[in-house]
Amino acid sequence: MPPSAVEERCKAEIVRLHDAFVAWFTGSCDNSKEVFESRISSVLSPSFSMVPPSGNVVPANLLNERLQSAYGLHSEHGMAIEIKNLEVVSSSGFRYLVRYEEWQRSGSPEVETARVSTAFFRESGETGPSNLMWVHVHETWMPGKAPP
């Protein structure tokens, strides 16, 4: 069965944001407030929160601080992020719950990690890369794929 229009939009936004993360972390984009805001922070809801695999709740303001300070962190050895096995778990009105796998490779020697992520989106009602606003993300390490 072909993916739905909602699934295609959600996947495009997830891939777009993770590509922006790679550009930011590898220093392959400008280290400017304008780039950070237009590619990353502008799509996070003001009430955004995430639960990384550590289990700590991270609000948008703290996540933005951490991301901004991580500019170029992987500039020496690079990194890659691949999104796999995306599915829309629930769709109600203009809100979407999506589950996907996030596979990362970075470092020297290269280390591969993987997590299952669940993202909650709402329509932003504004123009933007996808018109989707990230509201919440919850991540869990995949078996045997946590960092060493």
Side-chain angles (χ1 to χ4, degrees), residues 33-81:
K33 180 179 179 181
E34 293 78 20
V35 168
F36 184 80
E37 287 179 356
S38 69
R39 295 185 185 177
I40 297 173
S41 67
S42 66
V43 297
L44 302 180
S45 166
S47 62
F48 176 85
S49 63
M50 77 173 289
V51 179
S54 66
N56 300 314
V57 177
V58 180
N61 63 334
L62 182 56
L63 178 64
N64 282 327
E65 288 174 17
R66 289 178 180 174
L67 290 171
Q68 283 181 307
S69 67
Y71 179 84
L73 186 67
H74 293 282
S75 61
E76 186 175 348
H77 299 291
M79 77 174 299
I81 298 176

Side-chain angles (χ1 to χ4, degrees), residues 118-130:
T118 305
F120 181 66
F121 293 101
R122 69 171 170 78
E123 297 282 346
S124 70
E126 300 173 7
T127 58
S130 67

Side-chain angles (χ1 to χ4, degrees), residues 46-114:
S47 62
F48 176 85
S49 63
M50 77 173 289
V51 179
S54 66
N56 300 314
V57 177
V58 180
N61 63 334
L62 182 56
L63 178 64
N64 282 327
E65 288 174 17
R66 289 178 180 174
L67 290 171
Q68 283 181 307
S69 67
Y71 179 84
L73 186 67
H74 293 282
S75 61
E76 186 175 348
H77 299 291
M79 77 174 299
I81 298 176
E82 184 178 3
I83 304 301
K84 299 181 182 181
N85 301 318
L86 181 137
E87 72 174 299
V88 175
V89 177
S90 180
S91 174
S92 177
F94 299 106
R95 290 169 169 64
Y96 316 111
L97 183 65
V98 180
R99 182 175 46 237
Y100 59 94
E101 295 174 9
E102 178 184 330
W103 292 74
Q104 293 187 15
R105 292 180 313 281
S106 63
S108 179
E110 187 174 87
V111 173
E112 181 178 66
T113 61

